[in-house]
Amino acid sequence: MRVLRRLTLAAALVLAPAAPVLAESLADTMVAAYRHSALLEQNRAVLRAADEDVAQAISALRPVVQWVASHSAQRPEGGTTTRSTSLTLGAQLTLFDFGRSRLAIDGAKEQVLATREALVGIEQDVLLSAARAFFSLREATQQVSLQQNSVEVLGRERQAAQDRFEVGEITVTDVALADAQLAATQASLASAQGQLEIARENYALVTGLRAGMLAAPPALPSLPATLDEARALAQRNHPAIKQTQRQAAAAEIAVAAAAAERNPTLTGNAGVGVSRSPNQVTGDYGTRNSSSVGIEMRQTLYSGGRLPSVHREALAQRDQVRAALLNTTRQVVLQVGEAWANIDVARAQIRAIDQQISAAQQAYEGVREEALLGARTTLDVLDAEQALLEARANRITAESNLQLAHYQLLAAMGLLTVENLNLGIPTYDPTQYYNAVRNAPHTSKQGESLDRVLRAIGRD
């Protein structure tokens, strides 16, 4: 019975239908690119470094505690060696700096927000690269299939020409023409296969995975009704514009901070210490305790022109960022217009190519029939077949361009993100690390919390 059960199980496994291989969709490609992108990891680290700038700016408002230990030995000529040892613990705190520290904190926060927008821009670039790799691979695969089919058709045409030549219906020139066309199509097939391998390598670069079977692309994403609406969305949402706006705000704060550098600073200090040294009279070593407390205000009256230069530099950098904001906005508007035009062009091309394919198919079939009746030459048949092949190849390219242009437009409007595309995967939360370090944590509890955040970020 045990042997019978094993035989039954083996037969069931053999007869069971194989599980279907799931094709990789465009969403799968984008998810893989998002999860495996080293560029995203690089810029997430850049953002975490910017978060630390906020912590460092906040730390300027906190006391600085230091200890100093010293030991010295002196031996005058003809005398004995005397040694002295001291240990001092001191603390210093900025009591008031007329807003300089607060401006530094606000400027660092604006830079964090600008870096977050830069990270969104990188996310868009990664997802757009994934879409481009997906559509390029699909187009290359279809072009190879088209060329393979053409080689098969021309092979049959060449054999038919050889048969007709043998019965004396056509000349050897017709056979040579068929041979030349077949060889040219085989060369095109080799080129298409090379492009397919390149597309596969690019897909692996973008996604970190080897390409499998690709699914049909999803329905085209919905777009604004008009070009003006698309431009308005881009001006509100594009991360490059929002990043430059934050940089402009940071530049304004930097101007105020440069002006505040001329203000005085009020600091307080306190310290305790212990020292051991010989008595000047008796020479006996003794230990003495000391303590101090004080307050100090200082202001730079003349810096050799450095402070006015720093202020002028901040003003120039502010003007630079303002001009950059205007230029970035214009570039984004241009990208929207180009993507919109590409969509219109691709749609018009597809409509025209569909008509061309229909006419070329009809012409090819008619020429073949006429050639069988002796009214057309072999060259006419080959020319008609080539025209049909080129039209079908152009249709594949135009369809790929149309699909890609939609995602280019989404990117130009600032909407090509994991969240807006509803890809359904956990995304990187830029506030986790910021919330863990913004108060410049030092205690063990805060350090453990930061470690948990870093581990969670690593899992994402």
Side-chain angles (χ1 to χ4, degrees):
M1 291 298 295
R2 185 177 303 172
V3 174
L4 180 60
R5 284 197 298 268
R6 290 179 179 176
L7 292 176
T8 304
L9 178 60
L13 291 176
V14 171
L15 296 177
V21 178
L22 298 179
E24 297 175 12
S25 65
L26 176 60
D28 295 333
T29 301
M30 289 184 171
V31 168
Y34 181 82
R35 286 177 171 170
H36 297 95
S37 173
L39 186 59
L40 277 174
E41 290 297 331
Q42 172 188 342
N43 284 272
R44 287 167 183 167
V46 171
L47 176 57
R48 292 195 293 272
D51 294 340
E52 295 292 353
D53 290 338
V54 176
Q56 294 168 24
I58 290 176
S59 68
L61 297 175
R62 295 178 179 174
V64 177
V65 181
Q66 295 177 319
W67 63 266
V68 179
S70 65
H71 178 79
S72 63
Q74 295 182 347
R75 183 176 182 178
E77 184 178 357
T80 59
T81 302
T82 59
R83 295 177 174 84
S84 61
T85 304
S86 65
L87 177 64
T88 305
L89 179 65
Q92 185 176 12
L93 174 65
T94 300
L95 300 176
F96 193 66
D97 61 2
F98 295 89
R100 275 186 293 183
S101 296
R102 180 52 56 188
L103 288 170
I105 293 172
D106 292 341
K109 288 181 178 179
E110 289 295 338
Q111 289 294 350
V112 166
L113 295 175
T115 309
R116 287 183 185 178
E117 296 300 336
L119 182 59
V120 175
I122 296 298
E123 178 183 343
Q124 286 207 144
D125 293 341
V126 168
L127 295 181
L128 183 58
S129 296
R132 184 178 289 109
F134 178 86
F135 292 126
S136 296
L137 183 55
R138 273 189 54 83
E139 178 186 352
T141 303
Q142 292 173 332
Q143 293 287 7
V144 168
S145 298
L146 180 64
Q147 295 294 338
Q148 287 175 338
N149 182 69
S150 180
V151 168
E152 293 176 2
V153 171
L154 284 173
R156 292 193 295 269
E157 291 286 348
R158 194 270 175 203
Q159 185 59 46
Q162 180 66 32
D163 294 340
R164 295 177 64 192
F165 168 73
E166 291 177 354
V167 298
E169 293 184 4
I170 59 176
T171 66
V172 68
T173 303
D174 295 311
V175 177
L177 288 172
D179 287 336
Q181 186 64 35
L182 177 59
T185 306
Q186 289 172 337
S188 298
L189 173 59
S191 177
Q193 289 172 335
Q195 292 299 320
L196 177 58
E197 290 303 317
I198 293 174
R200 284 174 176 164
E201 292 298 328
N202 185 60
Y203 186 93
L205 172 66
V206 171
T207 64
L209 304 173
R210 302 305 300 180
M213 182 184 300
L214 297 186
L220 294 176
S222 58
L223 301 178
T226 64
L227 176 58
D228 290 337
E229 291 182 15
R231 287 172 174 165
L233 280 172
Q235 291 176 352
R236 291 196 303 268
N237 298 314
H238 200 283
I241 294 178
K242 296 167 75 173
Q243 176 189 0
T244 313
Q245 288 172 339
R246 292 296 184 182
Q247 290 173 340
E252 292 286 353
I253 295 173
V255 171
E261 286 293 325
R262 303 182 183 186
N263 295 332
T265 302
L266 180 64
T267 59
N269 57 77
V272 293
V274 59
S275 63
R276 179 177 175 79
S277 59
N279 188 283
Q280 295 292 334
V281 179
T282 64
D284 298 331
Y285 281 86
T287 300
R288 290 180 295 276
N289 298 324
S290 63
S291 61
S292 64
V293 63
I295 189 171
E296 179 182 86
M297 177 175 281
R298 65 174 61 188
Q299 181 179 15
T300 302
L301 298 178
Y302 179 68
S303 62
R306 182 184 68 84
L307 292 180
S309 176
V310 169
H311 186 247
R312 292 193 300 270
E313 181 183 11
L315 290 171
Q317 291 174 343
R318 180 196 63 185
D319 295 340
Q320 172 194 352
V321 177
R322 287 177 175 176
L325 176 58
L326 178 60
N327 184 63
T328 300
T329 303
R330 290 174 176 173
Q331 291 293 328
V332 168
V333 170
L334 174 63
Q335 292 173 9
V336 173
E338 288 179 345
W340 192 277
N342 288 336
I343 291 174
D344 290 340
V345 169
R347 285 174 176 169
Q349 285 180 334
I350 289 174
R351 289 193 296 267
I353 292 173
D354 285 341
Q355 296 176 358
Q356 179 185 4
I357 290 176
S358 177
Q361 181 69 41
Q362 184 177 0
Y364 172 65
E365 293 173 354
V367 169
R368 284 192 63 188
E369 293 296 328
E370 293 175 1
L372 293 176
L373 300 176
R376 293 282 185 173
T377 65
T378 301
L379 180 60
D380 294 331
V381 176
L382 296 175
D383 288 342
E385 197 278 336
Q386 183 64 26
L388 179 59
L389 174 65
E390 292 177 355
R392 288 174 174 170
N394 292 336
R395 177 64 166 78
I396 293 173
T397 301
E399 181 66 27
S400 179
N401 291 339
L402 175 63
Q403 293 164 342
L404 180 59
H406 278 74
Y407 290 92
Q408 289 173 332
L409 181 56
L410 287 180
M413 294 187 298
L415 301 178
L416 191 63
T417 63
V418 171
E419 181 180 359
N420 288 323
L421 294 175
N422 296 319
L423 295 181
I425 58 172
T427 57
Y428 182 85
D429 183 3
T431 63
Q432 274 191 319
Y433 189 86
Y434 175 81
N435 292 334
V437 304
R438 63 178 178 178
N439 292 322
H442 180 265
T443 64
S444 298
K445 182 178 180 180
Q446 290 171 314
E448 292 173 359
S449 175
L450 178 56
D451 289 339
R452 287 195 299 270
V453 169
L454 289 174
R455 287 194 296 268
I457 291 173
R459 283 195 298 269
D460 288 342

